[in-house]
Amino acid sequence: MPIPDFSKIRGLNYYSSWAANSIGQWRFYDAVQAEKELGYLASIGCNSVRTTLNFAVWEEEGQGFLDNLTDFLTRTANHGISVILNIWDSVGMEPSATPYDDLQKWTSTPGSSKVADPAFLPQGDAYVTAVVQAAMTTQAVVVWDIMNEADNQPVAWTQHYLNLVKQIDPASTTTVGYFFAKSNALTADLVDVLSYHPYGVFRANVTVPTQQARDIAADHGNKPILATELGFPGGGGQRYEDVLDYITQEGVGFYLFQAMIGDNP
C-alpha cells in the first residue's frame, strides 16, 4: 500500500529502547513497550517510522521473527503510522561467527562476506520473500528500503533485491537509503522513491543534496524524494531545530535520527 504524499512525512528512525541494535530489537521484541513507544510517537505528530530488520534473527527464529514483525506492523497501522523497513544494512561492525549473539554494538546485516558470496543468495532470497509476504498479510503502509547506506555496496546486490521485492509484491513501494544523494543515480530507474541522508551542520548540507536528489528524480519520471535520515546533534552536531527548519523549507518528507534513546522509560 503506497504512501499518498511523501512530502507530508514527518517521521523518525525507530530503534527500540530495549536493545542496542537490530538484533536485540527483534530477538527481544517487546510488544507492550513497542505499543507504548509508538503511542508516544503518534502523540507528537510522527506519521511514519523507519526501522531495520535482521537476517540473523530470522535465520535463528524463523516464524517467531515473522510473528513479531507482523505484530509491529499491525501496531503501526493501528496508530496511523507508515513504515520504512530496512531489509539489509551496510552500517556497523561485521557480524561475528555467531551473529545472533552480537548484541552490544550496531552490526551490519547480513555482513560484507555474505553480500560478496553468490552462494548466499538463496538464503537471502528466502529471507526477503518471507518478510515481504509477512508484511502483505497486514494493513500496514510499508516502504521497502533494500539496504541502508548502500553507497559502496555492489549495485548488483541492490538491483537484485529491488527486482525480487517487486516480483513478490508488484504493488510494493521501494527505495534504497543512500548516504549521498548522488548515489541514487545507481538505482533510480528501479526504485519508487529516492532516499538520501543530508547530515551536516550547515544549511548547504541539506539544500545541496536535496537539489541533487531532485535533479536525479527529474531525470527518472519526477519520482518523489525522501530524507530518510537527518538530525544528529550528539554525534554530528546537526541540531534538530536547525535541520527541521532547513528540510521544512525544502518541502521534503523526512525521518529524524532517532526516536528512542536509552532504557525503557
Side-chain angles (χ1 to χ4, degrees), residues 82-96:
S82 62
V83 188
I84 290 184
L85 292 175
N86 296 331
I87 298 175
W88 307 111
D89 188 3
S90 73
V91 175
M93 305 285 290
E94 287 291 323
S96 71

Side-chain angles (χ1 to χ4, degrees), residues 161-177:
Y161 283 107
L162 283 165
N163 287 326
L164 180 60
V165 170
K166 285 293 187 183
Q167 289 171 19
I168 301 164
D169 180 10
S172 62
T173 302
T174 59
T175 192
V176 179

Side-chain angles (χ1 to χ4, degrees), residues 39-52:
Y40 293 155
L41 301 185
S43 73
I44 62 171
C46 172
N47 59 16
S48 193
V49 294
R50 179 174 179 260
T51 197
T52 301

Side-chain angles (χ1 to χ4, degrees), residues 186-206:
L186 298 170
T187 52
D189 56 332
L190 294 177
V191 299
D192 299 299
V193 57
L194 280 61
S195 303
Y196 64 109
H197 299 169
Y199 286 120
V201 299
F202 304 110
R203 183 181 293 269
N205 293 121
V206 173

Side-chain angles (χ1 to χ4, degrees), residues 17-213:
S17 65
W18 64 79
N21 58 19
S22 63
I23 301 164
Q25 177 165 325
W26 296 106
R27 181 172 170 178
F28 305 116
Y29 179 72
D30 185 334
V32 173
Q33 187 65 19
E35 177 65 25
K36 184 186 296 185
E37 292 175 358
L38 290 170
Y40 293 155
L41 301 185
S43 73
I44 62 171
C46 172
N47 59 16
S48 193
V49 294
R50 179 174 179 260
T51 197
T52 301
L53 305 178
N54 193 273
F55 172 79
V57 182
W58 171 82
E59 185 179 34
E60 185 73 23
E61 298 185 4
Q63 189 59 47
F65 171 82
L66 299 176
D67 290 344
N68 289 336
L69 173 59
T70 55
D71 180 88
F72 179 75
L73 292 177
T74 298
R75 293 177 190 280
T76 61
N78 289 342
H79 284 286
I81 294 174
S82 62
V83 188
I84 290 184
L85 292 175
N86 296 331
I87 298 175
W88 307 111
D89 188 3
S90 73
V91 175
M93 305 285 290
E94 287 291 323
S96 71
T98 56
Y100 185 65
D101 297 319
D102 293 342
L103 298 170
Q104 300 303 314
K105 296 183 181 296
W106 197 263
T107 305
S108 63
T109 181
S112 60
S113 62
K114 286 184 171 64
V115 170
D117 183 5
F120 174 73
L121 281 179
Q123 291 175 277
D125 290 0
Y127 159 70
V128 172
T129 300
V131 297
V132 174
Q133 289 179 340
M136 290 171 67
T137 68
T138 74
Q139 297 300 309
V141 178
V142 176
V143 174
W144 295 101
D145 186 338
I146 299 303
M147 178 173 255
N148 179 47
E149 298 193 354
D151 305 69
N152 297 315
Q153 300 301 308
V155 178
W157 174 271
T158 49
Q159 290 175 334
H160 172 79
Y161 283 107
L162 283 165
N163 287 326
L164 180 60
V165 170
K166 285 293 187 183
Q167 289 171 19
I168 301 164
D169 180 10
S172 62
T173 302
T174 59
T175 192
V176 179
Y178 291 112
F179 186 89
F180 296 108
K182 286 185 176 180
S183 297
N184 279 283
L186 298 170
T187 52
D189 56 332
L190 294 177
V191 299
D192 299 299
V193 57
L194 280 61
S195 303
Y196 64 109
H197 299 169
Y199 286 120
V201 299
F202 304 110
R203 183 181 293 269
N205 293 121
V206 173
T207 59
V208 171
T210 297
Q211 188 57 53
Q212 291 171 344

